[in-house]
Amino acid sequence: MIARFMAGKLAEMENNFKSWMASPISKIFIGTNLVFAVLFLVSVPSFVKEYITQDAVSIGGKKYDLSDVKDSSPIAYSKFQSEYKALLKNTFGEFAQDKLFELVAKDKNIKPSEVLNEGLVLREPSEEEILNVYMSNKAQLGGKSLAETKDKIVGFLKNQQEQEHSRNKYREIITKYPVDFLIKEPESIRVTVDEKNNPSMGPKDAKITVIEFSDFECPFCKRSQDVNRQLREKYKGQIRWVFRDFPLPFHQDAMYAHMAANCSIEEGKYWDVFNVLFDNSGNLSKSNVDSLVLKTGLSKDKYQTCMKDQSKLKSEIDADIQDGQKVGVSGTPAFFINGIFVSGALPFENFDEIIQKELKQ
């Protein structure tokens, strides 16, 4: 978990640095305020009956509580649990962070605000380090020379030192003062989602089936593909992945791209087309889609013949959209892991945690 935290903070610093390069008035310093919650994966709370029935809505004089939401709309209830989990994680995390800093500060007779910077001695970055940062970000510099940006680069590199020092301090703290989140696991909310003979990869008898509703033009869907590939690689032979069309109405080029992809199924080129469309997600004009699809080796005659029957293609895609809406899909990407709903382009760990639990059952 520390490794994931470190990687995330480094990525955050890099993004902040690039943002500054684009806008001279931006501040480059990220600060040393750490969000404690990200260091831990905690469980979703399990709501006992006396709590689940406290909050309610009255409709026409009849009272409905969360147990009714759970029965009639399991996806809505699942989203509620996820949002409650995030809120609870942040609340406990911030509380724990403050308490940890108080404990350390008392032990060392310093202020809580000084805990992470205790013992910090910044060194001057080498000329080589400065040059490496300059060359790596030269495209975003807008023609500025190394001399013009050197002071800011030095500040950025020193900030990296501060962040590394803070992370090391945090390791020491959580080793000396272990933190356990005493939160009960909830029951898994599952819904039945049909595959409907849609494109898939992985064995049919796999213990894990992931059904993805996605949109070739959706930037979040494109971002999720890296995580999806990691999951398929890690659980190769144990996971079956099914793709269902869900082009969003405000993505004007998405429907055509999905039609084109479906025209590649018969020739066994679907996943090749799938990859090339997501790789070019920001440029899916009809002419470019046609060009991209044919570059995968698809027969031009067969492709053009298939694309002529657009009413049939759209009908199949609309059926996917309707099936998704029936089980609570309202945006993309949306996933069902053995019927457990996961919404959005979430980190690898979120999916991995669910899959690990499913494999143990």
Side-chain angles (χ1 to χ4, degrees):
M1 286 178 277
I2 288 291
R4 293 196 299 269
F5 171 78
M6 291 170 66
K9 294 304 290 183
L10 285 174
E12 178 186 346
M13 286 190 289
E14 181 181 358
N15 289 336
N16 282 6
F17 178 71
K18 290 179 179 178
S19 295
W20 166 78
M21 290 296 189
S23 176
I25 63 172
S26 300
K27 292 183 179 179
I28 193 166
F29 292 103
I30 300 166
T32 57
N33 182 34
L34 302 177
V35 181
F36 185 86
V38 298
L39 292 176
F40 299 93
L41 292 174
V42 299
S43 307
V44 184
S46 180
F47 299 105
V48 290
K49 289 184 179 179
E50 60 264 32
Y51 290 106
I52 203 172
T53 57
Q54 281 186 350
D55 298 312
V57 60
S58 178
I59 303 173
K62 184 176 180 180
K63 178 182 174 183
Y64 299 92
D65 56 42
L66 284 172
S67 64
D68 297 302
V69 175
K70 178 182 173 183
D71 291 338
S72 63
S73 183
I75 293 301
Y77 182 78
S78 180
K79 288 179 180 178
F80 160 74
Q81 283 189 310
S82 296
E83 291 173 7
Y84 187 89
K85 170 186 175 180
L87 178 61
L88 195 63
K89 184 195 296 186
N90 289 338
T91 302
F92 275 127
E94 291 173 6
F95 176 81
Q97 174 179 280
D98 291 343
K99 289 298 179 185
L100 286 172
F101 286 176
E102 288 174 11
L103 288 170
V104 175
K106 184 177 180 181
D107 282 349
K108 300 189 175 183
N109 195 29
I110 59 177
K111 297 178 181 179
S113 60
E114 298 171 343
V115 168
L116 291 181
N117 287 328
E118 186 203 14
L120 174 65
V121 178
L122 295 177
R123 63 173 179 81
E124 288 298 319
S126 68
E127 293 299 320
E128 183 181 0
E129 289 174 313
I130 296 169
L131 181 60
N132 285 339
V133 172
Y134 175 78
M135 296 303 294
S136 297
N137 296 275
K138 196 171 182 179
Q140 288 80 41
L141 290 174
K144 291 185 178 179
S145 67
L146 175 59
E148 291 176 295
T149 58
K150 185 175 181 178
D151 288 345
K152 292 295 185 181
I153 293 174
V154 168
F156 171 73
L157 289 171
K158 286 185 175 181
N159 183 247
Q160 283 188 318
Q161 294 179 39
E162 292 180 22
Q163 294 292 326
E164 181 62 24
H165 181 84
S166 296
R167 285 191 288 270
N168 290 335
K169 280 292 180 182
Y170 235 114
R171 289 193 195 96
E172 294 176 11
I173 294 171
I174 62 177
T175 298
K176 185 174 182 180
Y177 301 101
V179 176
D180 294 314
F181 286 89
L182 308 178
I183 304 171
K184 293 181 179 180
E185 286 279 357
E187 61 177 313
S188 296
I189 306 299
R190 301 178 193 271
V191 295
T192 300
V193 186
D194 294 327
E195 295 183 22
K196 292 277 183 77
N197 200 34
N198 278 280
S200 66
M201 60 177 79
K204 290 185 178 181
D205 60 350
K207 191 167 184 179
I208 305 297
T209 295
V210 179
I211 298 179
E212 174 187 359
F213 288 86
S214 202
D215 175 341
F216 288 125
E217 197 179 351
C218 165
F220 299 103
C221 300
K222 178 178 181 177
R223 184 189 306 170
S224 73
Q225 297 310 308
D226 287 339
V227 169
N228 299 349
R229 280 189 285 268
Q230 291 177 52
L231 291 168
R232 291 193 292 264
E233 181 61 30
K234 178 175 180 179
Y235 297 105
K236 191 172 183 178
Q238 298 176 287
I239 194 168
R240 174 175 170 80
W241 204 280
V242 181
F243 186 84
R244 300 200 63 176
D245 302 296
F246 206 92
L248 298 169
F250 50 85
H251 287 154
Q252 61 182 8
D253 295 323
M255 178 61 78
Y256 189 85
H258 282 263
M259 290 179 182
N262 287 342
C263 277
S264 69
I265 295 174
E266 188 176 338
E267 292 191 63
K269 292 284 187 179
Y270 182 82
W271 295 108
D272 294 325
V273 171
F274 177 96
N275 290 329
V276 78
L277 290 177
F278 268 126
D279 287 344
N280 294 272
S281 183
N283 182 17
L284 295 178
S285 63
K286 291 182 179 181
S287 59
N288 195 44
V289 167
D290 292 339
S291 175
L292 291 169
V293 168
L294 293 176
K295 284 180 181 178
T296 66
L298 223 60
S299 165
K300 184 175 181 179
D301 289 340
K302 290 183 179 179
Y303 172 69
Q304 290 178 339
T305 299
C306 178
M307 289 296 285
K308 286 179 181 178
D309 195 355
Q310 293 197 5
S311 60
K312 179 182 177 182
L313 292 167
K314 188 175 183 300
S315 178
E316 193 282 329
I317 293 169
D318 285 340
D320 277 4
I321 294 172
Q322 290 166 13
D323 285 350
Q325 291 172 337
K326 287 176 184 176
V327 291
V329 177
S330 58
T332 56
F335 306 87
F336 292 86
I337 305 174
N338 286 356
I340 299 172
F341 182 65
V342 180
S343 178
L346 301 181
F348 175 89
E349 292 76 20
N350 293 62
F351 294 88
D352 192 53
E353 183 180 14
I354 297 173
I355 291 172
Q356 289 280 1
K357 291 175 183 177
E358 290 297 296
L359 288 173
K360 291 176 181 177
Q361 291 186 6

